[in-house]
Amino acid sequence: MVVILEKNATQQQIEDVIKHLEDYGFQVHTSIGVERTVIGAIGVQPNFDTRKISILDGVAEVYRVTTPYKLASRSFHEENTLIKIKDVEIGGNQVAIIAGPCSIESEEQIFRLAKIVADSGVKILRGGAFKPRTSPYAFQGLGEEGLKLMRDAADEYNLLMITEVMQIEHIELIDRYTDIFQLGARNMQNFSLLKELGKTEKPVMLKRGIAATIEEWLMSAEYILSGGNKNVFLCERGIRTFENYTRNTFDLSAIPVVHKKSHLPVVADPSHATGLRDQVPPMARAAVAAGADGIMIEIHDDPDHALSDGPQALLPNTFLKLIDELKLIAHAIGRKL
Ligand code: PEP
Ligand code: MN
């Protein structure tokens, strides 16, 4: 941590700041310039609240130079994390594609869509059985029945499945069916749920919260990692901004930023990020070009009658065309898909 004193800070104030830093366990190095005094405080204290120093008299600015997350940080773990689930890898050279409907709606629907996913060569089927909906009157998902149908469809077509877990009480139930847990944007800071997922061994895809900074997102990953589950990957799904021509604002730059700050894989979800079918392919292409370790795409063969998120679902033909385009882009940057 670097502490910059006010120009007119008195000797007494400087000494008081130094005393506080030492009392908090930091090693202190003071540099007295012509204009200002700058204090370097050394000592790894990820949880230290820098406001304890910024409120002291004579202090102008306090900067943290280490990150508050440790297990999620690249400085503590240089190598990329590679998540292996059967014959699928997330975080390696291969760009992993996850596709399927927003919600599991019926046996026929999930089997039809699972076949389309499998025929495209994609290995991971998505679908929600417990849905986080803004309105309590909107379709809430089929619950356990949906999980059963999705597992059967995934097994029939030799696919892995990912589905969202919204509450602690459902972890055990969902664990019996799924290969990957999805932690949705609205639950990114549900700390008790994060802690419980830290006790499982299955991979967790942690979506970025609707209004979360990248640091907050990585802190949430830290909760799962510190519980003992190292199989965490992140998903950029757009954030809330003042823009309303798209459902959310797709933060493409989060992909290289996460890669710099963390060793965890990061995938992109252009479906929820844009909310509009015609915006999905260009942003999916951009995400692969930006280095995303995977892309999650919602598809539907009858989106006009979909029970959730029809307007952002790709039709099967557009989806197949997109997969071909993504292969070219992945190849151009030395990756496979
Ligand atoms: C989803 O992927 O089904 C979903 C609800 O996404 P998010 O949590 O990003 O809104
Ligand atoms: Mn959806």
Side-chain angles (χ1 to χ4, degrees):
M1 179 170 46
V2 176
V3 184
I4 299 168
L5 280 298
E6 301 276 9
K7 263 187 188 167
N8 55 4
T10 63
Q11 191 53 35
Q12 184 53 49
Q13 287 172 337
I14 297 172
E15 279 168 22
D16 190 49
V17 172
I18 293 174
K19 179 158 183 349
H20 272 85
L21 288 167
E22 285 174 346
D23 287 350
Y24 287 127
F26 291 99
Q27 236 188 57
V28 173
H29 294 265
T30 309
S31 132
I32 301 164
V34 188
E35 296 239 327
R36 286 167 189 261
T37 297
V38 175
I39 303 173
I42 297 168
V44 180
Q45 292 195 33
N47 295 322
F48 189 76
D49 186 343
T50 52
R51 291 176 305 172
K52 287 178 174 170
I53 302 303
S54 42
I55 42 128
L56 299 177
D57 288 341
V59 172
E61 229 90 52
V62 179
Y63 297 103
R64 188 187 268 292
V65 287
T66 51
T67 55
Y69 45 89
K70 184 169 166 271
L71 300 172
S73 163
R74 201 174 276 283
S75 20
F76 288 85
H77 184 297
E78 241 174 82
E79 295 293 303
N80 287 339
T81 281
L82 183 65
I83 297 171
K84 290 188 190 159
I85 321 152
K86 296 183 184 154
D87 59 339
V88 174
E89 287 186 351
I90 301 172
N93 192 41
Q94 184 114 18
V95 179
I97 307 292
I98 303 169
C102 179
S103 306
I104 303 141
E105 299 170 359
S106 66
E107 181 171 1
E108 296 72 29
Q109 177 247 19
I110 194 65
F111 271 77
R112 279 197 320 269
L113 292 173
K115 181 174 183 338
I116 292 165
V117 169
D119 287 350
S120 74
V122 165
K123 298 268 175 50
I124 312 172
L125 179 67
R126 65 146 285 142
F130 295 95
K131 296 299 302 174
R133 305 304 302 277
T134 303
S135 165
Y137 309 117
F139 177 59
Q140 304 287 307
L142 295 181
E144 185 171 5
E145 180 59 17
L147 295 174
K148 280 189 194 150
L149 296 173
M150 192 180 179
R151 184 72 264 168
D152 289 347
D155 289 344
E156 173 77 18
Y157 294 103
N158 197 22
L159 297 166
L160 296 176
M161 71 173 258
I162 175 169
T163 196
E164 178 162 353
V165 55
M166 292 196 335
Q167 54 196 88
I168 294 176
E169 299 72 34
H170 288 163
I171 293 179
E172 223 181 280
L173 169 74
I174 296 176
D175 191 31
R176 274 187 251 140
Y177 296 95
T178 201
D179 300 294
I180 308 170
F181 287 110
Q182 172 170 325
L183 194 72
R186 289 156 195 81
N187 269 314
M188 189 206 83
Q189 285 192 319
N190 181 338
F191 300 116
S192 32
L193 185 53
L194 292 166
K195 280 186 193 165
E196 285 305 310
L197 287 170
K199 295 180 191 160
T200 70
E201 280 168 18
K202 281 211 177 127
V204 178
M205 182 180 83
L206 175 63
K207 288 192 135 192
R208 181 174 181 182
I210 287 168
T213 64
I214 295 174
E215 185 166 291
E216 287 165 338
W217 190 18
L218 291 172
M219 287 305 288
S220 292
E222 188 82 7
Y223 265 89
I224 306 174
L225 296 169
S226 63
N229 186 350
K230 304 291 179 230
N231 292 315
V232 179
F233 62 104
L234 303 159
C235 176
E236 163 61 41
R237 48 78 71 205
I239 46 174
R240 177 76 51 90
T241 69
F242 48 81
E243 181 51 63
N244 53 23
Y245 275 9
T246 47
R247 184 178 181 186
N248 292 291
T249 296
F250 187 27
D251 184 5
L252 195 56
S253 57
I255 297 163
V257 171
V258 165
H259 279 150
K260 184 167 181 180
K261 301 274 180 199
S262 177
H263 51 88
L264 299 174
V266 56
V267 308
D269 170 358
S271 304
H272 291 90
T274 63
L276 299 161
R277 184 175 307 136
D278 58 346
Q279 307 294 328
V280 173
M283 297 323 284
R285 295 192 297 256
V288 172
D293 296 299
I295 303 287
M296 177 152 107
I297 295 178
E298 286 188 348
I299 61 169
H300 207 291
D301 56 355
D302 184 13
D304 291 347
H305 297 103
L307 296 181
S308 60
D309 282 348
Q312 70 192 32
L314 290 192
L315 286 154
N317 282 346
T318 326
F319 168 64
L320 295 176
K321 183 167 175 278
L322 176 62
I323 295 294
D324 285 342
E325 293 167 352
L326 297 184
K327 277 185 188 154
L328 292 174
I329 296 170
H331 183 73
I333 57 166
R335 294 183 82 161
K336 282 191 294 184
L337 187 145

